[in-house]
Amino acid sequence: MHKYLLIVFFFSLSALYAQSKEVVAVEKAVDDLMEAMVNANESQLRKLTDPQLTYGHSNGLIENQSEYILALSSGESNFTEINIENQTVDLKGNIALVRHFLIGKTHNRNSDPAPVNLGVLTVWHKKGKNWTLLARQAYKR
């Protein structure tokens, strides 16, 4: 009986370790995306997002991958600072649901600098070894 419990414990621990490893990978992808957004790094933005991306802004605007990357790389949308708070990652196989608060600053083209305080839900999916952003929806807090 003790051997059986030890085996179950070992497999449970292994599964938990594998899941926590994936959570860390998703969190890194989120961090990398935030850095790419602040730096308007077009190649990183393309690498971290899916070609079928649907990116929902808190004002109702929805962009595809090309529109999202163009808005950031052109300065139309310009994040000067992004901080993430209260992040949770919920794994469902090769899908990760990430919720967090995005607190930061923008200085969009033809606009004054402004604070940003959003609630965000992102959907990531694993393609090969990499997590890519498939969908995002924000709301004003």
Side-chain angles (χ1 to χ4, degrees):
M1 183 66 157
H2 292 297
K3 283 184 182 182
Y4 175 74
L5 290 175
L6 188 58
I7 290 171
V8 170
F9 176 74
F10 173 74
F11 283 113
S12 297
L13 193 57
S14 296
L16 187 60
Y17 174 75
Q19 186 172 3
S20 68
K21 188 176 170 184
E22 288 302 324
V23 168
V24 169
V26 171
E27 290 172 339
K28 181 172 180 352
V30 171
D31 289 344
D32 290 348
L33 182 66
M34 297 305 112
E35 183 179 331
M37 289 172 63
V38 169
N39 295 327
N41 184 326
E42 188 174 342
S43 63
Q44 275 296 96
L45 291 167
R46 190 162 310 282
K47 177 183 169 187
L48 291 163
T49 59
D50 191 87
Q52 300 301 311
L53 175 67
T54 177
Y55 191 91
H57 292 267
S58 61
N59 65 1
L61 175 67
I62 297 176
E63 296 171 323
N64 63 30
Q65 183 193 44
S66 297
E67 294 164 333
Y68 163 72
I69 292 171
L70 179 61
L72 287 165
S73 62
S74 71
E76 180 180 331
S77 180
N78 180 25
F79 284 93
T80 58
E81 182 182 328
I82 295 177
N83 297 294
I84 300 298
E85 294 180 0
N86 297 349
Q87 182 165 278
T88 62
V89 177
D90 185 17
L91 291 176
K92 306 285 186 203
N94 67 341
I95 299 292
L97 304 175
V98 180
R99 291 182 182 275
H100 57 236
F101 299 135
L102 185 153
I103 294 97
K105 298 177 184 173
T106 61
H107 191 180
N108 299 338
R109 185 180 322 137
N110 301 323
S111 298
D112 292 331
V116 178
N117 189 347
L118 303 172
V120 178
L121 168 64
T122 55
V123 179
W124 295 77
H125 69 125
K126 192 170 186 183
K127 294 175 80 174
K129 294 182 179 181
N130 300 315
W131 288 93
T132 58
L133 181 65
L134 182 61
R136 184 249 200 196
Q137 186 58 60
Y139 62 91
K140 293 178 183 167
R141 296 187 337 132

